[in-house]
Amino acid sequence: DKKVVLITGCSSGIGLSLAVRLASDPEKTFKVYATMRNLAKKERLLECVKGLHKDTLDILQMDVTDRQSILDARDRVVEKRLDILVCNAGVGLMGPLELQSSDSMRQILEVNILGTIQTIQAFLPEMKAQSQGRILVTGSTEGLHGLPFNEVYCASKFAIEGACESLAVLLQNFNIRVSLIECGPVNTDFLVNMQKAELGNTSLQQVDTKTVSLYEKYLQHCDSVFQNAAQDTEDIVKVFLDAIQSPSPTFRYFTSGGVPPLTQLKITEPDGSQCIRAMSKIIFSVEEQ
Ligand code: NAD
């Protein structure tokens, strides 16, 4: 029997690559339900699988912020069971906090944290009843340490850590493993798709000049990190596959190798001052006193 996998956020990026890889598996190990909020965007996925997917791929509509659409997608899983749930959908929000509207903040939290939790909630009863399963969640190093100008996004990704860790403890009793695939920067549409305060935007004039100049430094840092250190989605997919294929997957996987240095600092220096100083130096090239 094929392993039944459902993935959220498959119209682009990590979700798309993972769906393509699993649906084109040479051994046909997986039946993939690739879900996306907007089915009009399914062409890119279909082009990538190039007809190799006759009995291994189904594309379903699912908006993770819409409970009914999650339940409708669940009901369309013909196998009536799920072996692997991948919660991947997410959006970013970047800029000075003073500029962020309640609506945009609420939207980030709704997609990233409530969306992830609601999706897990919907599949939990049947996974528990099966007494087996995997829940994989696309995590972020921004769920492990803070990043200026990304406060609300970080808050959502930190929240995912707490939700998943809590579930991981409970679900061991049901033979369900929860794993976070912790990504650093990845080459996807993420930066394009996110809500972002652009330099030159008139809205930035509402913020003090010191904040704007720090934001400028942050954006330069962000550009250089994405240019120099971003991984390709294929690298991330390999880590997902490791977790999927492992008979006893761990709770966290770090896609770029080991524990990120700043996360390490949080563990070895738990009062936080070294981590904040190091972060400030990396982003603003100045050590705060
Ligand atoms: P992406 O923008 O290409 O993909 C995100 C996907 O989520 C898109 O297909 C988008 O349509 C979908 N989505 C957004 N709102 C949705 C909703 N309400 N319902 C269903 N789907 C929705 O970017 P990506 O980099 O592939 O992002 C995937 C995940 O990886 C996200 O959770 C993101 O936070 C995380 N991540 C990305 C990076 C990075 O640098 N790209 C780093 C760490 C973590």
Side-chain angles (χ1 to χ4, degrees):
D1 264 11
K2 290 190 176 65
K3 286 195 184 309
V4 182
V5 190
L6 184 139
I7 310 169
T8 67
C10 291
S11 61
S12 60
I14 297 167
L16 181 142
S17 284
L18 182 63
V20 171
R21 168 64 185 83
L22 297 181
S24 356
D25 187 75
E27 315 288 329
K28 291 188 180 285
T29 315
F30 305 99
K31 167 68 183 286
V32 181
Y33 289 90
T35 73
M36 54 184 74
R37 184 182 36 182
N38 181 1
L39 280 183
K41 294 192 177 166
K42 71 177 178 191
E43 291 312 318
R44 195 159 154 194
L45 172 58
L46 284 173
E47 241 163 64
C48 292
V49 287
K50 294 186 207 82
L52 294 168
H53 59 278
K54 289 285 171 274
D55 47 357
T56 56
L57 179 71
D58 238 328
I59 302 179
L60 301 177
Q61 196 274 334
M62 190 203 280
D63 178 342
V64 298
T65 64
D66 175 351
R67 201 178 186 83
Q68 193 55 50
S69 103
I70 301 174
L71 297 177
D72 290 346
R74 183 191 64 183
D75 292 345
R76 293 186 58 189
V77 173
V78 291
E79 293 79 2
K80 297 293 163 212
R81 69 159 211 284
L82 192 61
D83 300 307
I84 303 168
L85 172 64
V86 182
C87 294
N88 165 76
V91 279
L93 176 65
M94 191 188 274
L97 188 61
E98 302 91 304
L99 291 182
Q100 262 131 55
S101 68
S102 325
D103 274 354
S104 46
M105 295 194 287
R106 195 169 291 121
Q107 207 238 333
I108 297 311
L109 296 171
E110 264 173 17
V111 176
N112 293 4
I113 181 64
L114 287 179
T116 302
I117 290 178
Q118 281 197 136
T119 307
I120 295 173
Q121 239 182 353
F123 288 95
L124 211 46
E126 64 189 48
M127 287 183 114
K128 280 180 170 175
Q130 287 158 218
S131 269
Q132 62 103 15
R134 301 286 176 90
I135 298 173
L136 293 115
V137 178
T138 312
S140 171
T141 49
E142 287 171 55
L144 301 170
H145 53 68
L147 188 66
F149 300 111
N150 287 268
E151 292 79 7
V152 184
Y153 178 73
C154 278
S156 75
K157 292 293 176 181
F158 270 68
I160 282 184
E161 299 283 321
C164 290
E165 201 168 291
S166 307
L167 277 170
V169 179
L170 175 73
L171 295 180
Q172 284 198 102
N173 296 293
F174 295 87
N175 194 27
I176 299 168
R177 307 287 152 191
V178 181
S179 297
L180 278 159
I181 311 300
E182 312 282 18
C183 306
V186 188
N187 288 315
T188 66
D189 295 347
F190 186 70
L191 284 179
V192 178
N193 288 340
M194 72 160 61
Q195 298 183 55
K196 179 178 169 189
E198 303 282 358
L199 287 179
N201 267 15
T202 48
S203 66
L204 275 179
Q205 290 165 7
Q206 298 164 35
V207 190
D208 67 276
T209 51
K210 186 168 181 179
T211 301
V212 175
S213 87
L214 289 167
Y215 185 48
E216 223 167 304
K217 280 192 178 163
Y218 164 74
L219 287 176
Q220 282 166 13
H221 160 81
C222 185
D223 276 353
S224 94
V225 163
F226 268 88
Q227 269 171 32
N228 301 321
Q231 292 185 285
D232 288 328
T233 56
E234 285 72 23
D235 303 325
I236 310 301
V237 167
K238 275 191 199 133
V239 181
F240 269 98
L241 268 181
D242 277 354
I244 288 172
Q245 287 165 346
S246 164
S248 50
T250 55
F251 177 61
R252 282 200 184 85
Y253 288 81
F254 297 98
T255 62
S256 53
V259 182
L262 286 168
T263 309
Q264 193 74 54
L265 263 184
K266 271 180 81 162
I267 300 163
T268 54
E269 307 294 335
D271 77 10
S273 41
Q274 286 207 34
C275 180
I276 288 170
R277 209 174 301 132
M279 172 73 75
S280 182
K281 199 172 174 186
I282 292 168
I283 311 235
F284 302 129
S285 300
V286 279
E287 270 193 79
E288 298 294 341
Q289 296 306 307

